[in-house]
Amino acid sequence: MPSDWWNWLIMKKSMDAWRTAIANSDETHIWIRGYDVTSLMTHAGFTETVFLLHQGRLPKAGERRLLDAILVAVADHGAGAPSCAAARLAASGNRQSLSAAIAAGILAIGDEHGGAGSACMELIAAGLEITAKEQTSIEDAARRIAEDARTAKKRLPGLGHRVHSSDPRTATLFGMARETGLAGKGIAFMEALEQHVRQTIKPLPINIDGALAAVLYDLGFPPEFGKLVFIIGRVAGLTAEVAEEYAREKAMRIHIPVTYDGVPPREIE
């Protein structure tokens, strides 16, 4: 058998196979990023494993605390949030599938609900790119972005809240980041941006999306993780919302008020 043909066959099989650097197993072991899962079960926790899955290494103590705090912060904001409302509505109409109700809640997560963290991480990256390219300060970059947003009448992600004039979770996260020595340019940029938006537009506090974006940026996560971490944490809340819907409410109990404003009754001519 020609060696060239054999090498081609091996290469083809390699190209056809799925590739992953995340998890592997054999008859007696399961590994996640090279760590035996039983060792993770006894020496690590869920938050450490989430960090490991996405970063390829176990977190340091401060990193674990911050990621754990973020997961707690996004777990549930109330049954009226789009993801929770969608999950409960699906659970009200489908009493046979927990997974369908949870999936309905996840599908409600997008750019408007749970997606601002990713957008804010991209904004932070853009602002810090200005400082690097133009050898300017974080303050100057934040001022420019605030002024550009005012001129374009563009909403900036990570700022403002419908209920809170000051999001209590932001101060907690930033305080923890400073206590652990992990506060970096991400937090500095968001705080500068908040200040310049207050001066040029109106007072808009850093909300949980802006806070987690700044912390995750300083921890070295890519922008898409801003949305992924919201999904990871919110699934915990969705399971509780759906379980409560099944346990406490009757099927088809959710009736959304609808006002009809179409044409009045009419006959076919």
Side-chain angles (χ1 to χ4, degrees), residues 125-147:
L128 295 178
E129 185 177 2
I130 292 173
T131 67
K133 284 186 175 180
E134 302 183 14
Q135 296 296 301
T136 188
S137 68
I138 288 177
E139 290 284 337
D140 288 339
R143 182 184 299 108
R144 183 187 306 181
I145 288 176
E147 291 174 350

Side-chain angles (χ1 to χ4, degrees), residues 47-49 51-52 57-65 67:
T47 300
E48 284 97 336
T49 304
F51 194 102
L52 172 65
R57 64 176 177 86
L58 287 168
K60 298 176 182 178
E63 293 171 326
R64 182 206 61 77
R65 285 186 61 204
L67 182 56

Side-chain angles (χ1 to χ4, degrees), residues 251-266:
M252 295 295 290
R253 69 97 184 177
I254 297 179
H255 301 283
I256 300 174
V258 176
T259 300
Y260 177 76
D261 62 357
V263 298
R266 55 183 172 173

Side-chain angles (χ1 to χ4, degrees), residues 13-94:
K13 287 184 176 181
S14 176
M15 290 173 62
D16 291 343
W18 286 18
R19 298 192 305 163
T20 180
I22 299 172
N24 191 26
S25 63
D26 61 18
E27 292 181 0
T28 57
H29 293 83
I30 301 171
W31 297 276
I32 295 176
R33 298 289 191 184
Y35 290 101
D36 193 295
V37 72
T38 58
S39 295
L40 294 172
M41 291 166 64
T42 55
H43 294 90
F46 181 68
T47 300
E48 284 97 336
T49 304
V50 171
F51 194 102
L52 172 65
L53 285 166
H54 285 272
Q55 290 278 44
R57 64 176 177 86
L58 287 168
K60 298 176 182 178
E63 293 171 326
R64 182 206 61 77
R65 285 186 61 204
L66 285 171
L67 182 56
D68 200 46
I70 289 171
L71 291 171
V72 172
V74 303
D76 203 338
H77 298 171
S83 55
C84 295
R88 295 192 78 132
L89 184 62
S92 182
N94 182 347

